[in-house]
Amino acid sequence: MFRTALRNVLAHKARLLMTVLAVMLGVAFVSGTLVFTNTLSRALQNSSAKGFDQVDVAVRARARASEGDTVGRAPELTQALLDRSAAVHGAASAIGVVNGFTAIADKDGRLIGGGFQSQGGNYWGTEDPRYPLVGGHAPSGKGEVLIDSETARRAGYEVGDTVRVSVDGPVLTPTVAGVFTTDDGNVAAGGSLVLFDTATAQQLFGKTGTYDEIDVRAASGTSQDALKSALDRALPKDAVETTTGRRLADDQAEIIASSMSGLKRGLLVFAGIALFVGTFIIANTFTMLVAQRTRELALLRAVGASRRQVTRSVLVEAFVVGAVAGVTGLAAGIGIGVLLKVLMDALGANLPAGPLVVTPGTVAAALIVGVGVTVLAAWLPGRRAAKIPPVAAMSSLHAAATTRSLVLRNSVGALFSAAGVAVVLAATGMGGDSGQAPMAVGAVLLIIGVFVLTPLLSRPLIAAAAPVLRVFGVSGRLARQNSVRNPRRTAATASALMIGLTLITGMTVMAGSLQTSVDRMASEAIRADYVVSMANGNGLSQEVGRTLSTAEGVTATSPMRNALSRIDGGTEFLTGVDGAAFGTLTDLPVDDGSFTIGGTRVVVDDGTAEQHGWRAGSAFTLHYADGAAQRLTVAGVYRGNEMIHGILLDTATLAPHQEQAAGDMRVMVKTASGASDATKDRLAKALGTNPAILIQDRKDVSDDIAQMFTLMLNMLYGLLAMAVIVAVLGVINTLAMSVFERSQEIGMLRAIGLDRRGIKRMVRLESLVISLFGGVLGIGLGVFFGWAAGELLGAKMPTYELVLPWGRMALFLLLAGVVGVLAALWPARRAARLNMLRAINAE
């Protein structure tokens, strides 16, 4: 039986080619993901470890909470602690580290690097071992800085050039005193690093006389652990904590591995989708192969083979196919891993260099996935083949599906579909995070139910295309009859395409609806012409708000300053605003009381008010971060949104309880002439054309979010393209094997007058009908899932509104049709070229 199975694989290698390709693509996606993420993780870990070469022990402030404090307040690392660290036995030297956000502009005034990757720090003394100079000298005062060599190369800066930098608002124009090299991961990822002398860095980052970290180097012959023990004895345990450089490198490696695991899981999900789609092709292929070899299998049964042996022979064929697909998929996956890294570098990701990593786990995963998926998908066709009575099979009495089996299948499908719809509808009423897991379960149940019901659905839906197919005469009628002749085969072929289009349509509906809700939120809640913020999301210097309030043409401004507080034992967010101006800058619906902010009078959003049982006139005690308590009164309750929510109080009330240098998260600005390019340029010039500051009108805010949605959708489309390609292979495979199965029938059609063009048209129309059937089901399910997910989001986003992207859905349906036409090219050509007499004589 084993030799028989191998001979069958060799005899049908052409028919199994598409199955091998489908499994190979899925395996290649899996192994490519593992190779790419392992290679990237190893390179980042090696690069990160180099950054700790100059650190034997790091001294950091130990966070400690005080009564009434909502966040642990860290003690300061003073110069005295630095001196004590340097004097510890076994210490060779100690460096005080200061860092913070620092934006640097290129020669055209644009921000270099992403906002979160624009960093600044201090250069220690005249020669800092952390940052070897490749030109120039150490910086001195606010008038000199050092920049990393990658930033200098990208922007074309040289020693002696003047650059524009910003820490929290005001623009500085120092001279480039020197250029240095670094292993900093942010720089490797395309960011920038600007270094000041230590005193200047402390002043600019609001840490005068203190440090963020103290890095201690061990003397020759002293181990990191010994130095750590000495520092632990010499320094106050309640104020600081020490960590060895080796431990820091290990922790960083764990963080990198954890972040890579998220990327790995995301990519593997899409690989799983492609493999899931591939199972339909495998099952279809083996079902058709078994059906074509009914007499052969019956003869084996007649000469003594048992049912188990027949099933096993089919599984051996599947094992060989899966093994071939696994090996070739692994090789293709290694190539995909290399190409992904090259692509990332070409797109400017600047990933650190490192060797290609192919672990034993990757090899095992490729082979297990390839063989496992193929064998599992082929098990049911093999079992079905073994159950055919030998006499019936040898008499060509093909065992058609019984009425009982069809009723059972349709009943199971209806139950799954009904359960899926019920669970999804129930989940939409749960709202928030609690409804996500039930909705996922309901979606899976519904997809399974629709797949089981697809043979039943295929007849009426394909029949609906009959009037159109009649236009094509005999070829059209034959195409319709061929499509419904074997509903299970048609269903399996269409379902592969259905799954991909379900996901694509669902995500498109959600993205379009979210964008519309954001547009409504920006237009309905904000009257301000501009919102000013930092590019990295950090706080703005208070000087920015003061500058804008006196700028030409500005009629009203209000900073928005965030803070934490404690109320009734729980944490609540505060937002400090200009009480007199904020009402003119926003248009927030008030459900109770009035929108009055000033002194001890505050306004709260409806969610917070409901949580605490407040209404207009309610009084409560609030504990600030500095421990002080104050009695406040609710003047009004407004309807919050994702942009503005929480407790709003006057900045003058909040400021005494914050550090003097506390920054504003954003500043809202209204101008006499409204939003225009000229007004925006005028505000930018008032702020010194600062590369770190974003000045956005409502359209800019919406466009930024739209760009994010578009980028996300394009990435998901690209990942799901693999599933669509696998589905195309499935259509090609089904049609090609169907043509072989119907060779005699096609020969008869040719003999009675249907020409080659008619045969081609028949196969193409059949493929088109099956693909459009899958497209209709996929788009329908995608709209339902998009609506259901939107209902969950609507609980958190009052402005959410379902928007159906009719244009894109029509494009997706057209895509399904194109898939059908392209998939039919080779099978149609093959059918038309069949020799008429040989086809008639075919068994």
Side-chain angles (χ1 to χ4, degrees), residues 193-367:
L193 180 60
V194 178
L195 301 179
F196 305 88
D197 68 79
T198 300
T200 301
Q202 289 175 321
Q203 179 186 356
L204 290 174
F205 299 138
K207 301 163 185 174
T208 303
T210 64
Y211 303 95
D212 294 302
E213 181 177 304
I214 297 172
D215 291 342
V216 187
R217 289 280 286 162
S220 178
T222 302
S223 69
Q224 291 186 355
D225 292 332
L227 178 59
K228 180 182 184 301
S229 298
L231 286 166
D232 287 339
R233 292 191 297 269
L235 302 177
K237 293 183 179 180
D238 63 332
V240 301
E241 56 185 4
T242 59
T243 311
T244 63
R246 183 173 54 254
R247 182 61 195 169
L248 288 173
D250 291 343
D251 290 345
Q252 187 68 21
E254 289 179 11
I255 292 172
I256 292 171
S258 177
S259 63
M260 285 293 104
S261 68
L263 173 63
K264 186 184 297 184
R265 281 195 301 270
L267 291 174
L268 287 177
V269 165
F270 290 95
I273 292 170
L275 285 167
F276 182 60
V277 171
T279 58
F280 293 105
I281 301 172
I282 301 165
N284 233 6
T285 301
F286 279 93
T287 298
M288 296 174 74
L289 282 175
V290 167
Q292 292 168 12
R293 289 159 43 204
T294 302
R295 288 191 179 185
E296 173 190 330
L297 295 175
L299 181 60
L300 290 173
R301 289 288 310 282
V303 297
S306 66
R307 286 186 176 184
R308 183 173 296 177
Q309 285 179 310
V310 171
T311 303
R312 196 179 299 153
S313 71
V314 176
L315 294 182
V316 168
E317 294 179 46
F319 179 87
V320 173
V321 171
V324 172
V327 171
T328 55
L330 174 62
I334 294 172
I336 288 174
V338 174
L339 288 175
L340 280 174
K341 191 174 184 307
V342 172
L343 178 63
M344 295 287 282
D345 288 335
L347 294 174
N350 297 316
L351 301 177
L356 188 71
V357 179
V358 183
T359 64
T362 300
V363 176
L367 296 177

Side-chain angles (χ1 to χ4, degrees), residues 737-818:
M737 297 186 75
S738 178
V739 166
F740 178 84
E741 189 179 80
R742 304 198 315 254
S743 295
Q744 191 176 58
E745 174 188 320
I746 291 171
M748 289 296 295
L749 290 172
R750 289 289 313 282
I752 62 176
L754 190 63
D755 60 10
R756 289 185 174 183
R757 182 177 297 178
I759 295 292
K760 286 183 180 180
R761 187 181 299 120
M762 176 188 72
V763 176
R764 288 171 184 166
L765 289 174
E766 179 183 349
S767 175
L768 179 63
V769 167
I770 293 174
S771 297
L772 289 177
F773 170 53
V776 169
L777 288 180
I779 292 172
L781 284 174
V783 169
F784 177 71
F785 290 140
W787 166 81
E791 290 296 300
L792 277 183
L793 291 171
K796 292 184 176 181
M797 191 176 289
T799 56
Y800 183 86
E801 177 186 356
L802 178 68
V803 175
L804 295 181
W806 295 105
R808 289 208 174 190
M809 289 193 296
L811 182 63
F812 296 154
L813 193 59
L814 178 63
L815 173 65
V818 171

